[in-house]
Amino acid sequence: MKQRIQTAILALIVFLPLVIYGEWPFTLFVYFLSTLALVELIQMRKLSGHVIPFILATALVWIILLQMPSGAIPGVWFTIIEAIVLIVVLLLGYTVLAKNTFTFDDAGFMLLAAIYVGIGFNYLIETRAAGLNYIFFVLFIIWATDTGAYFFGRAFGKRKLWPIISPNKTIEGAIGGVISACIVGVIFHLIYPFDFSMIIILGVTVFISVFGQIGDLVESAFKRHYDVKDSGKILPGHGGILDRLDSLLFVLPLIHFIHFVS
């Protein structure tokens, strides 16, 4: 527990100033985090020995993060979509060069991993650009959900939520997480009001809390499938980047889709 607290404090000391300042330092930090997250997924799949696919997948993540309104990539003649198509072709071509040590399934995994990581971190940049209130609102809701689920689960948890994927999570804990999130969401809106009614804020809060927990279960399913305890070891006591940001990466695209952030 002491190690977890120390790591959390150190991470906040690094993360919060970058979030508050924003602009290019925050963007560079997101590029760094997204690359680490991709490495964690590739290591889960045990594909670390395939350097060329890793370079291509990293390039795809970075291309997704570019967010160029015109779709063109600065300094080259092709668009982001054309670059993605090129990477797909190269990954498939590598399956031949690798003589089936890198399979079609592996190429599909690389593509989906890069898209999953790239889209999640892309919307992290976009949410920060929309305003500090949006990014902090989402972070507080997710933290409140995790905290509420933990304490409600320990105090009242009896029925397992999804034991095959995450044996420690309970239905009571999940409900407690949503309740905690709603309390925090209401308080946040009273202090830093959005241009929405309280009913809308409550609805969005429940939405974030529920899908944040689903995002956490998605990451747990990855780890269960690949038989690993944590996605990485970069954060002592917490695991990897994906272990800490799984809910955030899952939720951020969705709150843009429902036009809470635009």
Side-chain angles (χ1 to χ4, degrees):
M1 179 61 72
K2 181 180 179 181
Q3 188 181 54
R4 287 177 63 88
I5 294 172
Q6 289 174 340
T7 302
I9 292 172
L10 181 60
L12 287 175
I13 290 173
V14 174
F15 183 68
L16 286 181
L18 288 168
V19 172
I20 292 170
Y21 185 80
E23 299 183 5
W24 67 265
F26 178 70
T27 300
L28 287 180
F29 185 60
V30 171
Y31 270 78
F32 173 69
L33 290 179
S34 64
T35 306
L36 290 179
L38 180 64
V39 169
E40 290 176 358
L41 282 172
I42 290 173
Q43 287 178 338
M44 284 190 207
R45 178 83 177 189
K46 295 181 173 60
L47 292 175
S48 303
H50 294 280
V51 178
I52 292 176
F54 169 70
I55 292 173
L56 293 172
T58 304
L60 178 54
V61 170
W62 290 3
I63 287 169
I64 294 172
L65 292 177
L66 279 174
Q67 308 176 87
M68 300 303 295
S70 64
I73 302 175
V76 296
W77 65 91
F78 46 83
T79 66
I80 291 175
I81 296 297
E82 289 169 339
I84 292 173
V85 172
L86 176 61
I87 289 172
V88 170
V89 171
L90 291 174
L91 276 174
L92 294 176
Y94 183 79
T95 63
V96 177
L97 296 176
K99 298 179 180 179
N100 282 334
T101 59
F102 183 83
T103 66
F104 183 83
D105 289 346
D106 295 329
F109 174 85
M110 283 285 195
L111 284 171
L112 187 56
I115 292 170
Y116 165 60
V117 169
I119 288 175
F121 281 101
N122 171 68
Y123 279 106
L124 178 58
I125 295 173
E126 288 202 8
T127 304
R128 172 60 188 89
L132 268 177
N133 55 337
Y134 288 105
I135 191 70
F136 277 125
F137 178 74
V138 176
L139 286 171
F140 286 161
I141 295 305
I142 290 174
W143 292 339
T145 299
D146 289 345
T147 303
Y150 175 78
F151 285 108
F152 271 78
R154 284 180 64 90
F156 309 108
K158 293 181 180 179
R159 293 171 293 176
K160 297 297 183 181
L161 178 64
W162 212 284
I164 296 176
I165 293 177
S166 187
N168 294 326
K169 288 183 172 59
T170 63
I171 294 174
E172 293 81 6
I175 294 172
V178 174
I179 293 172
S180 299
C182 287
I183 294 170
V184 171
V186 167
I187 294 172
F188 190 99
H189 183 56
L190 291 174
I191 297 174
Y192 298 105
F194 293 96
D195 294 329
F196 299 100
S197 68
M198 183 62 78
I199 296 297
I200 296 296
I201 293 298
L202 277 172
V204 171
T205 298
V206 172
F207 181 86
I208 292 172
S209 181
V210 169
F211 279 95
Q213 294 185 70
I214 293 174
D216 184 60
L217 287 170
V218 168
E219 176 64 17
S220 295
F222 290 163
K223 293 186 289 187
R224 182 71 60 177
H225 179 72
Y226 292 113
D227 194 26
V228 296
K229 182 178 182 294
D230 297 312
S231 66
K233 299 179 180 178
I234 194 170
L235 300 171
H238 291 266
I241 299 300
L242 288 172
D243 290 313
R244 291 300 90 204
L245 300 181
D246 49 7
S247 297
L248 189 68
L249 297 181
F250 204 80
V251 162
L252 288 177
L254 296 177
I255 62 172
H256 283 77
F257 294 165
I258 64 173
H259 296 286
F260 177 67
V261 182
S262 58

